[in-house]
Amino acid sequence: MQLPPALHARLAAGPGAAEPLPVERNPAAGAAPFRFAARLVHFPREHEFFEDGDVQRHLYLQDLFTRVAVEPEKPRVPEFTCQVAGCCQVFDTLEDYEHHYHTLHRNMCSFCKRAFPSGHLLDIHILEWHDSLFQILSERQDMYQCLVEGCTEKFKTSKDRKDHLVRCHLYPADFRFDKPKKSRGPATPIATLQVPADALGDDREQSEGDAMEVCSEHVAPRTEPMAERPTYSHRIPSTICFGQGVSRGFKSTKKRSKHQ
Amino acid sequence: MWNRRHGRLRTVGCGMEELRRRRREREAELRKARREQQLVSKRLLRDDTPEEAEGGCVALILGEAEIQQFLWLAQRGTGEKEREGALVSLRRGLQHPETQQTFIRLKGSMRTLVGLLTSNQALLQLEAARCLHELSHSEQSAVAEACLPATSYLLTYLAGHSSDLIELCLYTLGNLIVESESVRRQLLPQGIVPALASCIQSPHLTVLEALGYALSQLLQAKEAPKKIIPSASACSSVLSTPLPQHMLRLLQPGPKLNPGVAVEFAWCLHYIICSQVNNALLITHGAVSTLGLLLLYLAGAVQRSEDAGLELLLCPVLRCLSNLLTEAAGGQVQLRDERVVVSLFIILQFLLQKQPSLLPEGLWLLNNLTANSPGFCTSLLSLDLIEPLLQLLPVSNVVSVLVLTVLCNVAEKGPAYCWRLWPGPLLPSLLDMLAFSDTEVVGQSLELLQLLFLYRPEAVQAFLQQSGLQALKRHEEEAQLQDRVHALQQTALHR
């Protein structure tokens, strides 16, 4: 296929179009036995016209085994500890640290030191557990927000919300970020470091992963967790931070984004 | 981006011939699957560490006891290294289908794995996510479906901040999505669409590519036009989220365009547009002009023969534009620049050399561009593009019919257009076409001849001189052609 040489120059030049030639149709055109008429054609997704392109798309999807943007070996750095006060985790690659930081220190409740997977869940947690107004308001109106981002439903009790989560959103009944408030649990909320892998029979005590359940059952005023601290500090896992400044209370800390 | 790695992985122990054979086999399988409407694919994200680079062959088959041991160690091991190590061993084992089967039959195993996924130990969590990803990639439905208890967590972590974890969750979800409609019936109420929508603002290219993959898997579903795309059904549909605007943003040409990301979203757009749910909305967001500019950009890249993976964008972009042009909502109005036609020809030339099987898709766009547009038809003539177009005639019957249709689009605009078609190479090419035996090809040639004779009677004389009547005679007996053949014979003889 030989393209006119001027064509490439035309692509480089600015937008525009030739003045259209006058259109002048004769009714005899396309009259029987002829049938041509200029037509716009739409093809639906299953049309066989798309077979070749679709097959190539799937060859592309399957053919590849690993990513090509060859990720350089994680550069090793001298071992260092997490800088967040109270956290003593040690790292030898920056990636591991970054992942650790994002997972554990990014969305953390400043009252009970729980880490949450998302800002949305943290906000809900703070509201429900540490905001004294919440209790008062929740007696008058539905205050328990649905945990699913994008769903705006609110409920009178956390139980109603759980029912909603299970029924409408098909969430598991034991969703770990929505443990029901227990009536007066043991005073060792954030203690065990054991992974919440309760599967193999150990269902007694949830770990810090199960954030919502674990903080103390009553609405804790700001000082209370502090007061309790000494009683269980010997069981505080190394990954949990009690320092100031990294965890989130009511104030927003959307400042950090240098890792991105 | 993801790319073919002909190099390291596949040439180990087998020659080029073997590779080609395997590819042909795979292609035949895919073709068959498509005809049965079963065309689904999954992706496997694995770290390219040296010890794993040899592929699946290092995977050891693990027995029940070993799996149990690794899970126990992952939970209770002393020290983080030991626990992480146990999960790494488990993950390697899970690369093997037999271990996968054993794993899902083992009572409580998935529950433990989900527990580890939600643990507060960041690296343990990542490793657990990798285990799930291996399972999600399984060809056995039972294995992939065993991952269902994890989906609410995978979706929750999409709102997190660790790009590695988000990427893994997205590829895992993308694999699970295509497993069955019942999987999607769980993911949709769990809020997969809003979760993906909030992810699309991520600054990480790896996350965006994974997101595009997951979304394209979702949009490919048979039920997508009714249940996933529509904008009427509240929060759980794609068109009611900001996804379309962001997809178009990620397809804007320029130095920021990332081929890997753009390919995924271009396919997403194709699945949306060909479903014709609410294309007017996309047009309002500027889809036609964005795609038009992208076409110019691709032509530029193809012309410079840059090997950046941009050619993978051609197919979905051609489709999107072409289908959008059929919308009454004014797809045409936004596309006036004749450089679109120029780009398309540069792309056609590229396809002819590299991917002839996609030529029909390019010509389909040319048809939709020229059908109702005197402007583009004039550009074809003024830019001397008729001859290159005619050079495509011998490629295949499908291509011939499309080329002839485009030429008819030009010719039917009247005498001013046909005046430019004759004299020229058109008539000899048409006579060559009459020697073909394919009814459709010949039929379309007859249509074009009729238009040409009608608007440019002088061409009849030349037709007669070049033994046109004999050529017509060949098709006199053909039921679907004879009426038109007779009509043309009459026209020619009574001039």
Side-chain angles (χ1 to χ4, degrees):
Chain A
M1 188 180 182
Q2 197 68 41
L3 294 179
L7 206 62
H8 300 283
R10 182 64 196 92
L11 183 63
E19 184 62 32
L21 296 165
V23 177
E24 200 183 321
R25 291 191 178 96
N26 185 326
F34 297 94
R35 50 185 93 141
F36 175 79
R39 253 188 296 268
L40 294 168
V41 180
H42 162 86
F43 286 123
R45 65 168 71 196
E46 299 297 348
H47 200 282
E48 62 180 332
F49 187 78
F50 286 151
E51 184 177 296
D52 281 298
D54 284 355
V55 165
Q56 292 198 18
R57 158 72 174 164
H58 282 261
L59 278 174
Y60 167 68
L61 282 180
Q62 295 184 4
D63 227 19
L64 333 151
F65 206 58
T66 21
R67 254 182 317 168
V68 105
V70 181
E71 280 180 46
E73 269 288 280
K74 290 181 187 175
R76 299 270 155 188
V77 292
E79 286 208 344
F80 64 97
T81 26
C82 178
Q83 291 299 298
V84 173
C87 177
C88 337
Q89 190 123 347
V90 181
F91 303 93
D92 60 0
T93 73
L94 288 171
E95 284 79 3
D96 289 352
Y97 169 70
E98 202 172 315
H99 178 65
H100 159 88
Y101 179 86
H102 285 317
T103 312
L104 281 171
H105 303 312
R106 185 88 182 218
N107 293 309
M108 175 180 280
C109 172
S110 64
F111 299 99
C112 53
K113 311 302 171 201
R114 317 242 132 253
F116 288 85
S118 70
H120 181 65
L121 289 175
L122 173 61
D123 289 341
I124 292 179
H125 162 82
I126 292 173
L127 193 68
E128 294 177 9
W129 288 93
H130 307 301
D131 185 346
S132 38
L133 262 179
F134 179 86
Q135 291 302 325
I136 302 164
L137 284 173
S138 68
E139 278 162 28
R140 282 190 236 143
Q141 47 182 299
D142 295 348
M143 286 292 284
Y144 286 89
Q145 275 171 261
C146 179
L147 301 181
V148 177
E149 241 167 299
C151 177
T152 51
E153 297 248 1
K154 293 187 174 178
F155 303 90
K156 196 160 175 49
T157 64
S158 66
K159 169 143 191 336
D160 290 349
R161 171 175 60 199
K162 177 178 286 294
D163 290 344
H164 164 80
L165 279 171
V166 172
R167 206 182 53 247
C168 297
H169 294 296
L170 306 180
Y171 264 46
D174 62 347
F175 188 62
R176 283 162 201 279
F177 303 110
D178 181 35
K179 294 290 180 180
K181 287 183 183 182
K182 280 182 186 163
S183 58
R184 210 77 211 167
T188 55
I190 16 182
T192 36
L193 176 59
Q194 290 307 330
V195 182
D198 41 14
L200 301 183
D202 182 11
D203 220 341
R204 306 183 306 275
E205 208 163 26
Q206 291 299 318
S207 84
E208 71 280 2
D210 308 337
M212 290 224 162
E213 169 206 35
V214 210
C215 20
S216 55
E217 322 63 40
H218 46 264
V219 185
R222 204 169 221 292
T223 50
E224 262 195 59
M226 305 295 228
E228 279 176 23
R229 207 200 301 175
T231 66
Y232 54 80
S233 59
H234 62 286
R235 298 182 64 185
I236 294 167
S238 60
T239 49
I240 292 296
C241 158
F242 280 83
Q244 298 298 315
V246 286
S247 44
R248 174 126 70 103
F250 290 105
K251 59 186 189 302
S252 161
T253 54
K254 292 206 162 157
K255 51 189 182 206
R256 255 182 307 266
S257 59
K258 57 185 167 223
H259 287 279
Q260 292 167 354
Chain B
M1 71 179 296
W2 294 61
N3 216 329
R4 270 152 243 227
R5 312 201 76 220
H6 308 289
R8 278 212 356 250
L9 289 169
R10 318 194 112 244
T11 43
V12 180
C14 52
M16 278 310 282
E17 200 37 55
E18 169 72 6
L19 281 182
R20 259 185 233 124
R21 192 185 57 77
R22 266 199 247 165
R23 195 185 153 91
R24 272 199 304 274
E25 272 176 21
R26 185 90 69 86
E27 200 178 317
E29 279 166 29
L30 288 173
R31 225 166 264 284
K32 179 164 173 285
R34 193 192 184 275
R35 290 194 183 131
E36 292 162 359
Q37 305 200 351
Q38 304 280 339
L39 187 59
V40 292
S41 298
K42 292 181 176 185
R43 265 185 165 182
L44 187 59
L45 183 70
R46 264 181 206 165
D47 266 352
D48 200 16
T49 54
E51 67 266 33
E52 284 170 75
E54 291 98 73
C57 37
V58 282
L60 289 173
I61 302 179
L62 301 181
E64 217 169 276
E66 285 162 304
I67 294 175
Q68 235 152 3
Q69 169 78 359
F70 285 137
L71 283 174
W72 189 87
L73 274 175
Q75 285 180 284
R76 308 282 144 83
T78 50
E80 216 175 318
K81 285 277 172 262
E82 186 182 30
R83 298 169 62 190
E84 208 191 313
L87 267 188
V88 171
S89 310
L90 178 63
R91 167 168 59 87
R92 298 247 170 87
L94 286 177
Q95 292 176 9
H96 203 287
E98 246 176 81
T99 316
Q100 294 173 349
Q101 288 289 346
T102 318
F103 180 87
I104 62 161
R105 278 197 304 264
L106 192 63
K107 201 161 169 281
S109 56
M110 187 49 78
R111 206 166 137 68
T112 310
L113 195 56
V114 171
L116 291 161
L117 178 72
T118 57
S119 95
N120 249 355
Q121 299 282 78
L123 297 181
L124 218 50
Q125 179 186 48
L126 205 54
E127 215 39 68
R130 290 195 184 113
C131 290
L132 275 169
H133 180 66
E134 290 290 342
L135 292 170
S136 77
H137 188 259
S138 170
E139 282 176 19
Q140 317 231 354
S141 308
V143 174
E145 281 179 15
C147 299
L148 283 183
T151 55
S152 56
Y153 299 102
L154 293 171
L155 289 169
T156 302
Y157 287 121
L158 294 188
H161 296 283
S162 161
S163 57
D164 286 349
L165 182 63
I166 297 175
E167 187 194 10
L168 254 176
C169 291
L170 284 167
Y171 279 117
T172 307
L173 286 165
N175 287 347
L176 294 177
I177 285 167
V178 292
E179 200 51 60
S180 68
E181 192 177 346
S182 67
V183 173
R184 294 187 289 272
R185 274 203 296 264
Q186 169 169 320
L187 288 167
L188 287 170
Q190 285 186 346
I192 187 166
V193 176
L196 295 179
S198 62
C199 241
I200 203 169
Q201 316 226 22
S202 167
H204 300 279
L205 292 175
T206 50
V207 168
L208 290 174
E209 188 173 350
L211 170 63
Y213 166 72
L215 188 60
S216 75
Q217 297 282 80
L218 192 61
L219 291 168
Q220 254 182 101
K222 282 196 252 319
E223 74 274 17
K226 290 218 168 66
K227 294 184 179 157
I228 298 169
I229 302 171
S231 46
S233 68
C235 71
S236 61
S237 82
V238 173
L239 289 184
S240 62
T241 65
L243 278 168
Q245 291 103 299
H246 284 288
M247 286 193 237
L248 290 170
R249 172 177 61 80
L250 293 166
L251 285 170
Q252 264 157 20
K256 275 180 149 177
L257 183 86
N258 177 280
V261 174
V263 167
E264 299 306 317
F265 286 109
W267 280 99
C268 288
L269 263 190
H270 162 61
Y271 294 127
I272 295 178
I273 290 170
C274 68
S275 305
Q276 286 192 304
V277 174
N278 187 357
N279 286 343
L281 180 81
L282 292 169
I283 293 174
T284 337
H285 288 317
V288 176
S289 51
T290 303
L291 290 163
L293 288 173
L294 184 55
L295 197 74
L296 302 190
Y297 183 78
L298 293 175
V302 157
Q303 188 177 272
R304 291 188 297 274
S305 52
E306 280 166 15
D307 186 24
L310 282 169
E311 73 283 353
L312 290 167
L313 268 169
L314 291 174
C315 176
V317 169
L318 291 171
R319 289 180 180 187
C320 285
L321 259 179
S322 200
N323 264 336
L324 275 183
L325 286 173
T326 66
E327 291 295 323
Q332 307 255 331
V333 184
Q334 294 182 27
L335 217 55
R336 290 260 180 248
D337 187 353
E338 72 177 359
R339 289 181 304 168
V340 170
V341 174
V342 174
S343 305
L344 185 51
F345 270 82
I346 291 171
I347 289 167
L348 287 173
Q349 188 187 37
F350 171 83
L351 292 176
L352 178 66
Q353 287 159 6
K354 300 284 172 66
Q355 291 182 301
S357 65
L358 292 184
L359 270 176
E361 304 210 7
L363 289 165
W364 166 47
L365 174 58
L366 190 58
N367 173 69
N368 284 358
L369 283 171
T370 50
N372 292 339
S373 163
F376 285 141
C377 289
T378 306
S379 296
L380 276 192
L381 297 166
S382 63
L383 294 167
D384 293 323
L385 294 171
I386 299 300
E387 192 164 354
L389 196 57
L390 291 172
Q391 288 166 15
L392 293 176
L393 280 172
V395 173
S396 70
N397 289 340
V398 178
V399 167
S400 307
V401 172
L402 285 162
V403 166
L404 292 164
T405 309
V406 170
L407 291 167
C408 285
N409 287 342
V410 178
E412 70 93 32
K413 302 286 184 293
Y417 292 79
C418 290
W419 192 259
R420 308 277 286 265
L421 289 175
W422 189 89
L426 175 65
L427 195 57
S429 301
L430 271 179
L431 284 162
D432 288 345
M433 285 295 109
L434 291 183
F436 275 58
S437 53
D438 184 82
T439 316
E440 247 197 294
V441 174
V442 176
Q444 202 69 349
S445 309
L446 300 179
E447 298 286 341
L448 184 52
L449 278 175
Q450 192 247 345
L451 293 169
L452 192 64
F453 292 170
L454 181 67
Y455 293 129
R456 191 77 166 105
E458 297 85 339
V460 176
Q461 198 55 41
F463 179 74
L464 292 172
Q465 279 165 7
Q466 293 171 40
S467 328
L469 284 178
Q470 284 96 308
L472 280 179
K473 217 172 162 55
R474 282 175 47 109
H475 305 286
E476 266 177 341
E477 307 299 318
E478 190 107 25
Q480 290 171 47
L481 300 174
Q482 58 189 10
D483 291 350
R484 286 180 282 178
V485 168
H486 289 312
L488 281 176
Q489 285 168 337
Q490 292 303 312
T491 314
L493 291 172
H494 295 99
R495 277 292 147 189

